[in-house]
Amino acid sequence: MNEFWSNCLNRFQEELSQQQFNTWIKPLDCDIQEANVRLYCPNRFVMQWVKDKFSQQISQLAEDYLKQPCEIEFIISDTKKIDAVEPRVNTAQEVKKPKEVKKKTDTKSANSDGLNPAFLFENFVTGRANELARAAALQIAEKPGESYNPLFIYGGVGLGKTHLIQAIGNFVKSHNSEAKIKYLHAERYVSDVVKAYGNKSFDEFKKKYHSLDLILVDDIQFFAKKPRTQEEFFYVFNSLIESKKQIIITCDTYPKEIADMDERLRTRFSWGLTVAVEPPELEMRVAILLKKAEEAKVKIGEDVAFFVAKQIRSNVRELEGALNRIIAMSNFTGREIDINLAKEALKDLIAVKSRQITIENIQKTVADYYKIKVAEMYSKKRTRNFARPRQVAMALARELTNFSFPEIGEAFGNRHHTTVMHACDEIGGMKNTDPVLARDIAILTQVIRD
Amino acid sequence: MKQLLLDIQLPAKPSLDNFLVGSNAEAIHTISQSLTAQATQRFIYLWGAPGSGKTHLLSATRDAAEGLGKSLVMADDVQDFSEQQQIDLFNAYNQARENDSLVLVAGNASPMQMGLRDDLASRLAWGVTYQLHPLSDEEKAQALKARAKQRGMKLPDDVVDYCFRYLRRDLPSLMATLDALDQWSLTEKKPITVAMLRKLIQVPLL
């Protein structure tokens, strides 16, 4: 491998998530002749993606390296030389294997910790939408009870929260077989409390929960309107925090927003680190599909993965469901999985999805969300509590429909198109600095697309 | 005058075998498969218009699962579920994932389109989803003719046309009518004609 390309690889490996790097950059090969840089791509999808997303950066790096302006040529070629990254990854996997097998037999015999051995960091697909949450989870898994406590992970449904916290549990377990770990869905905890009340078996209950080294509670919003459960959890929480035991919680929203929850708990939930998982972007959805297909021992082409990922944007479960349907159809018909089969398998689904997203629908959803009247979307009022939702709606209209800036302006009470452009810029910029706004937009996007 | 009576019996117990597949062959295959040891899909969601066969398939699957001693979580008309019912189904679903049960749920629209709780809807979408397509009138007519042939009865085309024009066109009703006609024709030793059918159905059907 030439020096330039190995520099490039290092750069990208630092900048991109592992998943992105493996999907887009690692399969490439490169050679340089004078000022001509040739990039060999395994197929046209990778080529298009790299061209769109990374070519500028690559040509910048090439110019820095060659110290002259240069040209990048993209070539489709499936003969990629084996690069240096490969063996390292392989050995890492081999070392891990026996441990995984052992874990499986362990949990089969005593499944009281609630951990599913299939949820690991290794098979958690990472992208921009969840890399922060993953990093936090990994850090905590390495030193439970010592860094952030509690870890509070929130986000919409089907975005991998359970996978992530289960991975923490499995990681801790594999490094310390003595650790007392308990994963449970909030609903299970509620019924445990009810049982303890019914049987007057609180000593047992306390023994069970207060002696844990690591507790993982999924979907804590299910504690809403259950004061006894909340009170019991409050005691568990205090006791575990005090003895430096790790608490990990997932929820569909951030602590302050949880409805019908004791204020003392809400405050405590944000004592440690609160991180969001967001809906996966296209490249991550592609990576997820490829990974899931691999796990199901099915071969799907990247064109198929792209097709599916473009159709289904809202959550990972639906994505997996679509893949399941494609596999089922291939099993039934005995046909190979290709783009035509995928189209056929998802015909019903796509028919439902292709319901056009309208500006009116966006305006209504956004107005509902911010609890203002739809009329404020067209009104001239410029107070912040109307202007901001209006801007959000404009930005969403731009992103989710094909309408032009002038058309969007017109739909928002005949505003000038530069107003819309300004709104899009402003919201786009704020999304990166304001986590509350970023979350609002993620949720609204999910709702509107569904 | 002796009253003519059409003795319409309740349709046969629904089974996976007596479901007319029409364009739903893959769905039926997947359901049948899910009951075997080689099951690849354990979470199946069915949706479609009334009369597309959801309830038939659900009750057939329940019977089959009972016969095999398989644990099955089942819910019909999930679009009408109350908040609490949805939470119950959500819990049952999670439980089923842990202990290898089968889950079969049906509703009137695709999982994300019914206004259900997101956590439940996304789980319903997680497995494999089939829209059931009702049989066309043509397919139903074929089914009637096939059944008639099987029973050795003569079923003129104009009788079939008449049924489709004036009677309820869901398949169970049509089949029940056919069976009653056969019975009547055997007892009375008379052929089935439109004129006769017209007389017969003056006694309200069903």
Side-chain angles (χ1 to χ4, degrees):
Chain A
M1 199 190 318
N2 61 58
E3 192 190 331
F4 160 70
W5 188 239
S6 61
N7 283 344
C8 270
L9 285 177
N10 288 339
R11 269 294 274 281
F12 281 114
Q13 196 154 24
E14 274 169 28
E15 284 176 20
L16 301 174
S17 73
Q18 188 66 28
Q19 204 63 47
Q20 282 182 310
F21 179 78
N22 286 343
T23 310
W24 308 114
I25 305 297
K26 214 175 106 186
L28 305 178
D29 211 343
C30 171
D31 67 37
I32 302 182
Q33 271 158 9
E34 289 166 15
N36 194 2
V37 177
R38 281 191 190 147
L39 273 183
Y40 296 93
C41 310
N43 58 49
R44 70 192 169 88
F45 290 98
V46 170
M47 182 174 86
Q48 196 55 49
W49 194 271
V50 174
K51 242 186 197 170
D52 290 350
K53 305 272 168 179
F54 305 118
S55 66
Q56 216 179 348
Q57 208 175 342
I58 294 172
S59 74
Q60 189 60 51
L61 288 169
E63 279 186 37
D64 293 350
Y65 177 78
L66 296 169
K67 299 189 176 60
Q68 60 171 308
C70 59
E71 217 163 292
I72 298 192
E73 192 184 347
F74 287 89
I75 298 161
I76 297 178
S77 148
D78 50 9
T79 53
K80 175 188 178 320
K81 293 170 227 155
I82 298 164
D83 65 43
V85 191
E86 207 77 54
R88 206 184 66 215
V89 174
N90 277 347
T91 43
Q93 276 169 354
E94 268 157 33
V95 175
K96 257 166 226 142
K97 256 184 196 139
K99 220 188 277 170
E100 276 174 36
V101 174
K102 196 169 143 279
K103 254 189 291 188
K104 260 179 201 151
T105 44
D106 279 352
T107 39
K108 275 272 151 65
S109 55
N111 205 1
S112 62
D113 58 19
L115 292 177
N116 178 342
F119 290 129
L120 301 168
F121 282 113
E122 288 84 346
N123 58 12
F124 185 77
V125 177
T126 315
R128 217 173 43 224
N130 63 15
E131 59 199 356
L132 190 62
R134 183 188 186 274
L138 192 58
Q139 190 183 340
I140 283 167
E142 280 164 354
K143 290 183 175 162
E146 287 178 33
S147 41
Y148 308 108
N149 211 1
L151 172 64
F152 190 97
I153 302 175
Y154 72 90
V157 299
L159 303 180
K161 299 189 296 291
T162 301
H163 186 145
L164 198 53
I165 71 168
Q166 283 260 358
I168 300 176
N170 281 316
F171 187 99
V172 172
K173 188 174 168 182
S174 70
H175 287 78
N176 173 10
S177 54
E178 300 292 299
K180 282 193 203 145
I181 304 170
K182 180 87 187 157
Y183 164 88
L184 77 174
H185 190 269
E187 198 65 35
R188 179 72 60 84
Y189 185 83
V190 174
S191 65
D192 268 11
V193 172
V194 173
K195 245 184 259 163
Y197 265 88
N199 307 337
K200 304 217 168 15
S201 53
F202 264 101
D203 288 345
E204 211 179 302
F205 179 88
K206 280 210 177 103
K207 218 167 107 193
K208 181 171 164 190
Y209 286 104
H210 291 236
S211 64
L212 292 170
D213 296 310
L214 168 63
I215 187 169
L216 309 136
V217 185
D218 216 347
D219 282 335
I220 201 119
Q221 72 273 13
F222 275 82
F223 283 5
K225 293 189 192 153
K226 304 213 164 61
R228 280 199 304 211
T229 304
Q230 293 178 21
E231 191 180 337
E232 284 312 320
F233 191 70
F234 177 76
Y235 296 134
V236 172
F237 190 100
N238 289 343
S239 144
L240 293 182
I241 291 273
E242 212 165 282
S243 43
K244 290 204 175 345
K245 307 299 187 189
Q246 185 68 47
I247 299 171
I248 295 173
I249 294 168
T250 75
C251 189
D252 63 354
T253 184
Y254 56 94
K256 280 211 167 50
E257 274 288 298
I258 314 174
D260 302 302
M261 185 76 74
D262 185 353
E263 187 54 41
R264 297 179 303 173
L265 275 179
R266 274 198 289 220
T267 323
R268 277 167 175 71
F269 290 163
S270 40
W271 272 359
L273 179 67
T274 301
V275 286
V277 287
E278 278 164 34
E281 68 272 31
L282 178 64
E283 61 209 274
M284 191 172 147
R285 298 200 296 276
V286 169
I288 290 170
L289 283 166
L290 293 174
K291 183 114 199 163
K292 290 290 167 190
E294 193 189 310
E295 282 173 14
K297 301 194 172 52
V298 171
K299 261 188 98 81
I300 65 167
E302 285 184 31
D303 53 343
V304 173
F306 261 93
F307 170 75
V308 178
K310 277 191 181 148
Q311 304 297 329
I312 294 163
R313 302 148 175 240
S314 57
N315 69 65
V316 180
R317 287 197 196 107
E318 230 189 319
L319 207 57
E320 285 184 39
L323 179 64
N324 283 338
R325 180 63 201 279
I326 291 171
I327 295 173
M329 182 175 265
S330 159
N331 283 342
F332 177 63
T333 58
R335 283 162 53 193
E336 292 272 309
I337 296 176
D338 60 17
I339 191 89
N340 290 326
L341 181 120
K343 276 185 185 158
E344 219 172 298
L346 303 186
K347 202 173 55 193
D348 303 336
L349 197 68
I350 293 164
V352 172
K353 292 268 164 203
S354 63
R355 219 178 29 149
Q356 285 266 312
I357 296 175
T358 61
I359 297 184
E360 290 73 35
N361 183 19
I362 293 174
Q363 290 172 329
K364 196 185 163 305
T365 312
V366 174
D368 276 358
Y369 186 83
Y370 287 107
K371 301 189 178 68
I372 61 172
K373 292 196 191 108
V374 182
E376 306 299 356
M377 289 288 161
Y378 338 111
S379 78
K380 300 284 168 213
K381 286 182 208 157
R382 282 162 59 178
T383 45
R384 210 180 126 92
N385 46 341
F386 300 134
R388 180 53 40 77
R390 200 183 290 136
Q391 285 186 316
V392 168
M394 287 177 184
L396 286 170
R398 178 68 190 170
E399 200 178 310
L400 303 178
T401 73
N402 293 319
F403 292 108
S404 65
F405 283 122
E407 283 170 317
I408 296 171
E410 198 177 332
F412 281 83
N414 269 325
R415 286 184 156 75
H416 197 254
H417 69 90
T418 52
T419 309
V420 183
M421 289 163 76
H422 173 70
C424 295
D425 285 349
E426 190 153 312
I427 296 296
M430 280 178 62
K431 237 170 38 177
N432 298 326
T433 52
D434 180 347
V436 177
L437 181 72
R439 170 182 159 279
D440 289 351
I441 288 176
I443 292 173
L444 282 165
T445 306
Q446 212 171 358
V447 169
I448 292 164
R449 276 179 177 154
D450 279 349
Chain B
M1 185 187 130
K2 185 188 160 203
Q3 174 130 47
L4 293 169
L5 243 189
L6 202 50
D7 181 20
I8 295 178
Q9 299 286 323
L10 284 173
K13 212 171 181 217
S15 76
L16 289 173
D17 295 328
N18 68 15
F19 186 82
L20 286 149
V21 291
S23 44
N24 305 306
E26 190 196 326
I28 312 307
H29 173 79
T30 301
I31 294 172
S32 309
Q33 267 271 309
S34 74
L35 291 160
T36 67
Q38 297 83 44
T40 46
Q41 306 290 346
R42 293 194 292 118
F43 305 96
I44 302 172
Y45 179 79
L46 305 173
W47 65 280
S52 55
K54 302 184 292 290
T55 307
H56 179 125
L57 287 175
L58 254 57
S59 89
T61 308
R62 184 188 50 220
D63 292 348
E66 258 168 32
L68 296 164
K70 277 214 156 229
S71 126
L72 168 72
V73 173
M74 211 176 80
D76 200 357
D77 287 323
V78 67
Q79 74 279 356
D80 299 330
F81 272 28
S82 70
E83 180 76 9
Q84 188 54 48
Q85 284 175 309
Q86 291 183 43
I87 292 178
D88 292 345
L89 180 57
F90 171 83
N91 287 330
Y93 186 100
N94 291 336
Q95 196 100 50
R97 275 191 84 85
E98 277 171 35
N99 58 22
D100 291 342
S101 309
L102 208 64
V103 179
L104 182 60
V105 178
N108 68 357
S110 79
M112 312 300 283
Q113 304 290 319
M114 292 175 290
L116 296 177
R117 294 174 59 100
D118 280 347
D119 48 15
L120 176 62
S122 67
R123 277 170 176 79
L124 297 179
W126 202 353
V128 59
T129 300
Y130 288 102
Q131 178 177 12
L132 293 178
H133 301 278
L135 296 180
S136 62
D137 280 0
E138 227 161 86
E139 285 169 321
K140 284 185 218 165
Q142 274 170 14
L144 280 181
K145 286 175 188 164
R147 172 95 141 224
K149 199 172 166 197
Q150 197 186 356
R151 289 176 152 241
M153 57 186 287
K154 276 210 161 98
L155 184 66
D157 284 351
D158 57 350
V159 172
V160 176
D161 290 345
Y162 186 90
C163 287
F164 276 94
R165 208 160 314 138
Y166 296 107
L167 305 185
R168 287 181 54 172
R169 283 177 306 147
D170 63 295
L171 200 65
S173 303
L174 286 168
M175 285 296 186
T177 308
L178 181 82
D179 291 354
L181 280 173
D182 187 30
Q183 197 62 42
W184 175 85
S185 139
L186 285 174
T187 332
E188 301 288 320
K189 301 199 170 46
K190 284 180 184 161
I192 301 160
T193 61
V194 170
M196 196 48 74
L197 179 59
R198 203 178 290 149
K199 258 188 205 164
L200 281 168
I201 59 170
Q202 280 167 6
V203 181
L205 283 175
L206 293 179

